[in-house]
Amino acid sequence: MALFYVQGLPIGWMAIMLAIIASMGGFIFGYDTGQISDILLMDDFLLRFGQCSTTGVASTCSFTKVREGLIVALLSIGTLIGALVGAPTADFLGRKNAMSSECVVFIVGVIIQITSTHSWVQFAIGRLVAGFGVGSLSAAVPMYQAETAPAQIRGTLTATYQLFITFGILVAYCIAIGTRSIPHSGSWRTLIGIGFLWPLILGIGIQFMPESPRWLVRHGRFDDARRAMAATRGIPADEAENHFIIARELEEMRGALDYEEKVRTGWLDCFRPERKQLYRTLLGMTLQMFQQLTGANYFFYYGATIFQSVGISDSFVTQIILGAVNFGCTFGGMYVMERFGRRFPLIVGGVWQSCWLFVFAAAGTAKDPTTNPNIGKLMIVSACLFILGYAMTWAPGVWILIGETFPTRTRAKQAALSTASNWLWNFLLAFFTPFIVQSINFQYGFIFAACNLAGAVIVFFFLYESSDISLESVDMMYCDPDCKPWTSRTWAPPGFENRQDLIEQSRAAEAHKGLATDERIEKVNGSGAGAPPAYANSKA
């Protein structure tokens, strides 16, 4: 039986469970990201891997900017490579088996780190290997969630990936406070060692979830796909074959597959102008780039300096404050992205974030926050309000879009390219930010403010609204020459007047009111015998 109804359509408990279990991939990344900033401050880690002017005295030890940058940022290089490798892995093994194998890779990286004794290079290599697993998961998890979740809650369930990233960061901060007092190497080895638990939960738990129905359809396993959709809808398996919602969605998938099988796919297909493939690939890569250029990581790296101006000198506490704001506001982001769609929140979020970054940068440039408490308080407030906006819009929104913007036949590859763009810019910012801040200090905020405005403009002119419709319909929408990004909110597949009409017809069919007939299914999906009309007639 269905657990509850959204827009009058059934949702099963399995849909909720797959979101939670799969999102452990985000938790793994968040935990690994959150722990390193605290590990770099632990006495034993400094004594083992830092450069000390007095042997055995941690207060005299430090890392050069290059060494610290490599230890922190090599994870991002690993994730970049992993994201690209993750695409063929997810296509070949299936979404579930790919995630389990990628958890094994991450565990190997943890083992390399935890067995390091005095070589910082070994520790950095361990982070690189762990990054391979994290990067592959970052491409597979949002794609799996988007392909499996019912359209009515696809945004919310996919946004749980970002929620779990912030949760992982917060948990790492909290555990670090407890482990920093453990003598010797136990302080940092315990923090890293706990990281074994998260990939075990994901790698084992995901095997009890349904496989992506779109991957199953692509491999000719139509009965398995029908059962997978029934599980997420909370519909008994014996009713699945004749259930209108499942029949309609399965026919959409088969119609899309019939068309896609006529064309061989490869990496070059991601860059072909036909069917707006190049358009969508560049859009996904650009959105992921601007998610990094919002400047969110800048606050997590340098928030401690700002908070010192109001008497908070413990950087561990500072990180927990920022992490808690980020985590708490992401819950609001899940609601915002589902209630208001994709375009509007990203546009408003970009403008909101830009405003507070201008305030932050202007205040820090005008006065020294370490000697002027009022300026310091203003900068703290502006930083928190920036994070509030980021956590509710750009943080979850971009990951949702990566899962639902691309067609099935190239989704894994385009998602991998987009995610690789994220990790590339993550690395560049993590490595070069210390050098940039040394030169221009808080004026760095002006650069991020301009990037936020640029991101909002790009969303307005290039991003199509993909909420409330199936992934196959999203593909049809991008290929409709009469649909523009700013008019896409009301677009619906052929046979429906607008998007609201689509929702109402589906709701009526579920209630057995007879408004959705077999004739309508044929009209929308091309009878399953070939490509739907929108596929056959679409133009690039």
Side-chain angles (χ1 to χ4, degrees):
M1 295 294 291
L3 179 64
F4 57 89
Y5 285 74
V6 177
Q7 297 176 351
L9 304 177
I11 304 296
W13 66 270
M14 187 65 77
I16 309 301
M17 287 302 300
L18 74 86
I20 295 174
I21 296 297
S23 291
M24 286 302 299
F27 187 94
I28 291 170
F29 169 58
Y31 186 85
D32 205 59
T33 299
Q35 68 181 8
I36 190 61
S37 55
D38 289 334
I39 287 173
L40 291 172
L41 300 176
M42 293 180 177
D43 289 350
D44 185 81
F45 193 83
L46 283 165
L47 290 169
R48 288 174 182 271
F49 306 114
Q51 295 176 316
C52 306
S53 57
T54 303
T55 304
V57 181
S59 60
T60 66
C61 302
S62 63
F63 296 101
T64 64
K65 284 184 171 58
V66 173
R67 182 178 297 188
E68 181 177 357
L70 287 174
I71 291 175
V72 174
L74 268 181
L75 177 77
S76 300
I77 291 296
T79 52
L80 190 158
I81 299 171
L84 295 175
V85 174
T89 303
D91 280 343
F92 180 72
L93 297 178
R95 311 320 191 205
K96 289 177 17 176
N97 292 333
M99 284 186 272
S100 294
S101 63
E102 288 150 9
C103 287
V104 174
V105 174
F106 178 82
I107 289 174
V108 172
V110 171
I111 293 174
I112 295 173
Q113 293 176 69
I114 211 169
T115 55
S116 303
T117 54
H118 294 91
S119 172
W120 72 270
V121 175
Q122 179 182 338
F123 188 87
I125 293 298
R127 287 193 40 92
L128 178 69
V129 174
F132 295 154
V134 171
S136 299
L137 287 170
S138 69
V141 171
M143 177 173 56
Y144 169 75
Q145 291 175 320
E147 290 182 343
T148 310
Q152 291 72 32
I153 59 170
R154 187 175 62 229
T156 298
L157 297 195
T158 308
T160 57
Y161 180 76
Q162 174 63 28
L163 176 67
F164 271 60
I165 290 178
T166 62
F167 187 38
I169 293 173
L170 181 59
V171 169
Y173 290 164
C174 293
I175 293 177
I177 281 190
T179 63
R180 62 176 174 173
S181 59
I182 298 177
H184 309 299
S185 64
S187 57
W188 56 274
R189 283 193 168 124
T190 301
L191 180 59
I192 296 173
I194 291 175
F196 279 114
L197 179 61
W198 322 129
L200 288 177
I201 293 174
L202 172 58
I204 296 173
I206 198 65
Q207 293 301 320
F208 295 93
M209 299 295 106
E211 180 56 272
S212 161
R214 287 166 175 83
W215 185 85
L216 293 170
V217 166
R218 190 178 181 190
H219 288 77
R221 297 165 57 181
F222 300 108
D223 290 338
D224 291 338
R226 186 181 293 108
R227 283 191 288 269
M229 287 188 286
T232 59
R233 289 289 188 181
I235 297 169
D238 56 354
E239 297 179 13
E241 188 170 355
N242 299 317
H243 196 279
F244 167 75
I245 301 297
I246 294 178
R248 188 187 70 190
E249 292 184 0
L250 185 60
E251 285 304 312
E252 284 185 348
M253 295 178 197
R254 296 183 69 168
L257 178 66
D258 288 342
Y259 171 79
E260 291 168 0
E261 284 184 341
K262 298 175 184 176
V263 184
R264 295 187 63 183
T265 61
W267 286 97
L268 288 179
D269 290 282
C270 300
F271 300 96
R272 298 186 188 281
E274 294 82 5
R275 301 187 55 74
K276 286 195 173 179
Q277 286 290 77
L278 175 62
Y279 179 104
R280 285 187 269 182
T281 299
L282 294 179
L283 178 62
M285 295 177 69
T286 301
L287 289 175
Q288 286 283 26
M289 176 185 73
F290 274 99
Q291 190 194 56
Q292 287 297 315
L293 291 175
T294 56
N297 285 338
Y298 169 68
F299 287 97
F300 286 98
Y301 285 129
Y302 300 101
T305 301
I306 305 167
F307 276 67
Q308 286 176 352
S309 64
V310 291
I312 301 178
S313 57
D314 191 333
S315 62
F316 288 78
V317 175
T318 299
Q319 289 169 325
I320 287 179
I321 293 173
L322 293 174
V325 172
N326 194 25
F327 173 63
C329 292
T330 303
F331 282 99
M334 297 171 69
Y335 170 78
V336 167
M337 298 307 297
E338 201 64 72
R339 173 65 178 81
F340 299 102
R342 317 297 186 244
R343 284 171 47 84
F344 182 71
L346 291 182
I347 293 171
V348 173
V351 174
W352 171 277
Q353 291 154 203
S354 179
C355 290
W356 289 111
L357 282 168
F358 273 118
V359 172
F360 169 86
T365 302
K367 300 282 187 178
D368 183 357
T370 60
T371 59
N372 192 312
N374 290 329
I375 288 293
K377 291 176 182 177
L378 175 61
M379 295 178 71
I380 291 170
V381 171
S382 61
C384 289
L385 289 173
F386 163 82
I387 292 173
L388 179 150
Y390 173 77
M392 295 182 70
T393 57
W394 276 81
V398 172
W399 289 112
I400 293 172
L401 289 165
I402 294 308
E404 64 187 23
T405 301
F406 311 118
T408 302
R409 67 192 181 100
T410 53
R411 181 173 296 124
K413 297 178 179 64
Q414 287 171 299
L417 290 169
S418 300
T419 307
S421 173
N422 182 294
W423 299 128
L424 173 62
W425 285 92
N426 188 305
F427 168 77
L428 292 174
L429 289 171
F431 187 79
F432 289 108
T433 287
F435 300 97
I436 297 173
V437 170
Q438 188 176 31
S439 299
I440 62 175
N441 205 1
F442 295 116
Q443 295 177 47
Y444 200 16
F446 289 125
I447 298 175
F448 290 127
C451 289
N452 277 272
L453 284 179
V457 171
I458 288 172
V459 168
F460 179 82
F461 284 105
F462 298 101
L463 180 67
Y464 287 71
E465 181 55 66
S466 54
S467 60
D468 296 326
I469 56 177
S470 70
L471 298 183
E472 287 68 34
S473 294
V474 172
D475 188 35
M476 293 162 62
M477 175 179 63
Y478 269 92
C479 297
D480 186 345
D482 296 325
C483 181
K484 305 300 180 185
W486 47 89
T487 64
S488 59
R489 178 63 185 173
T490 59
W491 184 94
F496 299 96
E497 294 182 3
N498 50 48
R499 197 162 302 188
Q500 187 59 35
D501 180 45
L502 168 64
I503 296 171
E504 291 175 357
Q505 293 288 356
S506 298
R507 183 185 305 161
E510 178 60 27
H512 305 291
K513 293 180 180 178
L515 291 179
T517 63
D518 292 338
E519 180 182 356
R520 178 178 289 276
I521 296 177
E522 294 178 2
K523 184 175 182 181
V524 175
N525 300 296
S527 303
Y535 283 92
N537 301 324
S538 61
K539 300 178 182 178

